[in-house]
Amino acid sequence: MAPENTTGPPPPRPGPPRPDARQQPDAPPLRRHQGEALEALYASAETGQRRSWIVLPPGAGKTRVGIDHAEHLLTQGLVEQVVAFGPNTAIQGQWASTWDRLAGDWGRAGTSRDLDGVFTALTYQSLAVFDEDREPGGSLLSELAPGGRDLVDGLVAGGPMLLILDECHHLLEVWGRLLSDLLELLPDVWVLGLTATPPATMTAQQRDLVSELFSAVRYSAAIPALVKEGDLVPFADLVWVTEPTRAEDGWLSAQAERHTEFITGILDPEQGSIGFLEWMDRRFLGARAEAVSWQTLSRQRPELCDAALRLHHADLLRLPPGARLSEQHRRDPDADDWARLIEDWMRHHLLVSEEPSDRELAEAIRRTLPAIGCRWTRNGIAPGRCPTDRVLARSASKPLACVDIVSAEAAALGQHLRTLILCDFESVTATLSADVRTVLDERSGSALLTLETLLADPTTAALGPLLVSGRTVAGAPEVLEELRETVAAADEALASRLNITDPVAGVSRLDGGWTSRTWVPYVTEFFDSGASHVLIGTRALLGEGWDAPAVTGLIDLTTATTPTAVTQTRGRALREDPNWADKVALNWTVVCISPDHPRGDRDWDRLVRKHDGFFGTDAEGEIVDGVAHIDPAFSAFHPPEDDIDAINARMTTRSQARAEVARRWEVGADYRDETLRSVRIVGSGSPHALAEAGEETEGISPTPRNRDGDPGAFLPFSLRPATIVGWSTVGLLAVVAAVLSSGAALWVFAAVAAGLLAALPIVLSIVGERRHRRYGNTPTVAQIGSAIAEALHALDLSTAGADAVRMRIDARGDLRCHLDADPASAEVFAHAFDEAVSPIADPRYLLPCWRLPAQPPGLRGWWTRMRWGTGSAHRTAPNWVPVPSVLGTKKARAVAFAAVWDTWIGGGDPVYTRNPEGAGTLAAVRGSDPWGLTSVLRLRWR
């Protein structure tokens, strides 16, 4: 995307050459996004803006951007020293080595707190080490250790300086407050923040802190943009779904039975002076609901309202007035929903009731809550320690899934295979709690158990799996011997100190006088060379800052779900491999689900959070965020209903088609690096779904359904009842005249009477048939979308009209729709379209859609057609549809929309639902589904 803080091309300036004209002999050409980021930084420097923030994905070359920016400020004489901070020693070393290679003319990089060179690379821990759970308050500078205090004094005394804060997402907690205090002592310092975490994923508090530290985002680029450029490799996100082992399933079933018994007791109408379901009716349907509108309540208590709508989905509550079901509500309540609803019943009835039996019931519920993973606090029901979540996260089925994945990858890639498996921890660090000790092994979820499982299988054992963590290097004895020989080739003295321990469960360790700072480079080289094809590590060591371009894929066994953690871990596999130009990376996540347990979707929820805001290509080649890009059938709100074996088979098939994955990315094609909101009509197999567009149609031009008005109005007069009576009267008078006449007059009057009386039913039938051909068919989705787009454009709420509506049907039969316009216009269109095709909730205005029912056969059909030819039969029983909120904020907008609607669909004036007449109409149709479609909102990148 273009730099975000510039208003035009920067004026000429003295100083170093432009980014694309660097003369460093070891400096590779700048990539597009590096050059654009530097241009943005140079422009801000010219205007004296000292604080900047650059957002680039892992592998985009942020270090090069920081060093070039530093050289520019040094050459301009704006700074005299540069200090780069990183989160760990690996990143610290990368800064030092890259500076020596690209900017060594300024002097070699320093790595100590002495700040005795032009450039110094340090870790954030060189300032201090804090407990991130400490209570905020006071200046953190007062808590620094002596070494940290000396470093601060050196920074203050260092003169004009640039501080580079790499991976600055680490500053969002306690480190950010420390640096905020530090920067108050350095009012003239230049600050550059580098991160892969987009600001959209941060909380409001985090964004405020970042704005204070770095000011504006000067430049940002998304992962898809770098893939399109060819700077990152094409990739696909895949999931391997497992079920708990037999022992785990038995334990989970017992837990589920306790929860079911609890909920069954809650639903007993004899429980409490006002039973739970009766309370739900009063809360959401009765007087309490009338006192507070659904819109207000949903803003104040969104999670409670979501739980109520899922209770409606379970047929335990009528649809509350004003409510509208969305994708997240189309499932039964989960354990958290039940907790919120029960809490509301307890707080607002049982605990305030004057009936002793109600208070006794509340106390009984409170005592039962820990058995279902909850607890009662002064603020209500809160999640307690959830053993179910731990069992699913650490299920013994996950290491076995790694065997299946690695075996499939080895068969597909052969010697190219370099798989990285990331775990949360190397081995158990604490004793398991008593509630899960009977079902989980103490090593469950560990990197060590994963290694043992791979070594126990002949296929994966032959791939030489290695484990590396901050504490150890482990593997099969023969593999460790090869690693020791690799070390000896570079440092024989070090190798002589290394010992291979006796194997336990097939696993030995390589011990001796070395640390992770020493062994990580050797293990990386060993892995890159292909001596080991599978590397198992901890997220803390290898999940960030570790660079191994040969990695062909990741298997994620971690529980981390933050955008930062997800971006960083997946970034390990996206770097280009200089030895394999056709590299395509696959990022696997292993998920364990238990469909029969009320909390059996916790691991799926983790998958959803990991992919929220993370973009990838789906099966259609569209770049979308969320789990939909893994599989279009996946929902963010519930686990898949497909057979698990069928899901894994689909994933395996996709993993074996790396060339197809690369093709879908269309590397080198044009892009805009922006996100658009879109609408998907799920399973749109109805005949009106896309009547005028073929399956491969990307841009469509539907014909307005009612462009020429009433198709029955082709006569110079209207066939109203009075007209028909007059017509019939004239015919009958002609009959009378014929009876009273003779000769030629008789024949004339007879002919006139016959013509008039015979023509009337024929004309009525023709008019009725013409109307039925139009109003007997439901409008197409394309016509509905075009009407909304045209109305938004006419009211200056969008920059594009009907000609920018894009629709197509994918391989699953889903209809995908978006407005090909700027993101703001696409957003307002998507939400308006989603409302228009959804069940009626509580709109301010309703619009009629003219319609006629199906035509009966035989003579009844002929008679029905004649009735349709009279007056305006198509208006007598219209299909009522909601006016989208943005088009119903005031009468003028609703009237303008009605005019466009009449052209595209056919309908009359808008009906205001806040007066008695309109309220009656709304009451009659509230909750009805005029189109019978299921829509979901999606976010796509282009």
Side-chain angles (χ1 to χ4, degrees), residues 29 631 655 658 873:
D631 191 302
S655 73
R658 275 178 157 83

Side-chain angles (χ1 to χ4, degrees), residues 440-795:
L440 284 182
D441 186 288
E442 285 196 344
R443 299 170 303 158
S444 294
S446 68
L448 182 60
L449 179 60
T450 303
L451 174 62
E452 291 179 8
T453 306
L454 292 174
L455 289 175
D457 182 87
T459 301
T460 51
L463 300 172
L466 269 180
L467 184 156
V468 59
S469 71
R471 299 190 303 167
T472 191
V473 177
E478 62 273 16
V479 176
L480 295 181
E481 181 59 39
E482 286 187 55
L483 175 60
R484 183 165 60 180
E485 292 174 2
T486 299
V487 174
D491 189 338
E492 191 169 339
L494 172 60
S496 66
R497 299 196 301 270
L498 301 180
N499 301 306
I500 300 174
T501 65
D502 293 334
V504 177
V507 175
S508 295
R509 299 174 186 268
L510 191 59
D511 293 337
W514 64 344
T515 65
S516 62
R517 196 171 196 173
T518 307
W519 68 56
V520 167
Y522 285 114
V523 171
T524 303
E525 178 187 351
F526 189 72
F527 177 66
D528 276 345
S529 71
S532 170
H533 293 278
V534 182
L535 188 61
I536 307 161
T538 58
R539 184 173 62 85
L541 184 68
L542 303 183
E544 180 178 358
W546 178 67
D547 190 3
V551 173
T552 57
L554 164 75
I555 301 178
D556 184 3
L557 300 181
T558 70
T559 57
T561 61
T562 64
T564 295
V566 172
T567 301
Q568 290 294 333
T569 55
R570 275 144 185 78
R572 298 314 99 204
L574 301 188
R575 285 169 169 79
E576 291 182 286
D577 184 353
N579 299 316
W580 190 19
D582 296 327
K583 172 183 168 181
V584 173
L586 298 182
N587 293 322
W588 293 84
T589 305
V590 181
V591 176
C592 182
I593 61 176
S594 177
D596 297 329
H597 193 283
R599 295 182 185 271
D601 60 353
R602 291 309 172 93
D603 219 26
W604 183 263
D605 290 343
R606 245 189 302 275
L607 174 75
V608 170
R609 294 195 299 274
K610 286 183 178 186
H611 288 273
D612 185 23
F614 192 84
F615 287 87
T617 60
D618 64 10
E620 300 291 320
E622 195 169 282
I623 300 174
V624 298
D625 85 323
V627 292
H629 76 259
I630 303 177
D631 191 302
F634 289 171
S635 169
F637 304 105
H638 57 80
E641 298 175 356
D642 298 10
D643 178 72
I644 286 178
D645 290 337
I647 294 173
N648 293 338
R650 290 204 303 271
M651 297 294 116
T652 303
T653 299
R654 190 175 177 190
S655 73
Q656 294 170 349
R658 275 178 157 83
E660 176 63 17
V661 172
R663 185 195 65 78
R664 288 173 182 160
W665 275 101
E666 296 182 335
V667 175
D670 293 336
Y671 62 92
R672 303 182 190 178
D673 199 4
E674 62 185 15
T675 56
L676 290 182
R677 185 70 63 183
S678 64
V679 179
R680 193 169 296 181
I681 307 297
V682 179
S684 51
S686 53
H688 65 274
L690 195 58
E692 300 185 40
E695 291 187 2
E696 300 301 325
T697 303
E698 177 65 25
I700 63 174
S701 299
T703 303
R705 179 175 181 248
N706 203 48
R707 179 174 54 192
D708 301 324
D710 181 3
F714 62 91
L715 296 174
F717 52 85
S718 176
L719 292 176
R720 299 181 181 278
T723 305
I724 295 172
V725 170
W727 185 319
S728 301
T729 301
V730 172
L732 291 174
L733 289 175
V735 170
V736 173
V739 171
L740 298 177
S741 302
S742 62
L746 168 64
W747 291 105
V748 171
F749 283 118
V752 170
L756 289 172
L757 295 178
L760 180 59
I762 294 174
V763 171
L764 289 175
S765 181
I766 292 173
V767 171
E769 178 61 27
R770 286 169 61 94
R771 284 176 172 164
H772 185 258
R773 280 201 301 266
R774 176 172 299 178
Y775 302 124
N777 294 318
T778 305
T780 67
V781 174
Q783 289 169 335
I784 298 170
S786 296
I788 293 170
E790 201 64 26
L792 292 171
H793 184 50
L795 291 166

Side-chain angles (χ1 to χ4, degrees), residues 290-423:
E290 294 173 1
V292 180
S293 69
W294 179 262
Q295 286 73 18
T296 301
L297 184 61
S298 60
R299 285 194 300 270
Q300 295 173 346
R301 303 286 305 277
E303 293 179 336
L304 177 66
C305 290
D306 286 343
L309 292 179
R310 295 185 188 113
L311 196 68
H312 164 75
H313 183 271
D315 292 328
L316 295 174
L317 177 71
R318 287 183 288 118
L319 185 67
R324 182 170 71 90
L325 292 180
S326 298
E327 182 185 8
Q328 65 266 34
H329 306 129
R330 299 179 190 126
R331 63 172 174 82
D332 290 348
D334 61 15
D336 292 334
D337 294 326
W338 285 113
R340 295 182 187 106
L341 295 169
I342 293 169
E343 175 195 317
D344 189 76
W345 180 42
M346 291 178 65
R347 290 171 65 94
H348 298 292
H349 173 60
L350 296 182
L351 292 174
V352 298
S353 172
E354 296 181 358
E355 296 287 338
S357 60
D358 285 338
R359 291 192 291 273
E360 291 173 3
L361 176 59
E363 178 61 23
I365 293 174
R366 186 189 66 78
R367 290 195 304 268
T368 308
L369 287 175
I372 62 169
C374 297
R375 55 192 174 89
W376 182 261
T377 70
R378 68 178 64 182
N379 296 318
I381 296 178
R385 184 176 58 192
C386 185
T388 300
D389 191 19
R390 173 171 281 198
V391 169
L392 294 174
R394 299 188 178 185
S395 172
S397 64
K398 290 189 174 184
L400 296 173
C402 290
V403 172
D404 292 333
I405 295 171
V406 172
S407 297
E409 288 285 82
L413 295 181
Q415 290 302 309
H416 280 300
L417 176 71
R418 305 288 189 279
T419 295
L420 172 65
I421 302 177
L422 286 181
C423 304

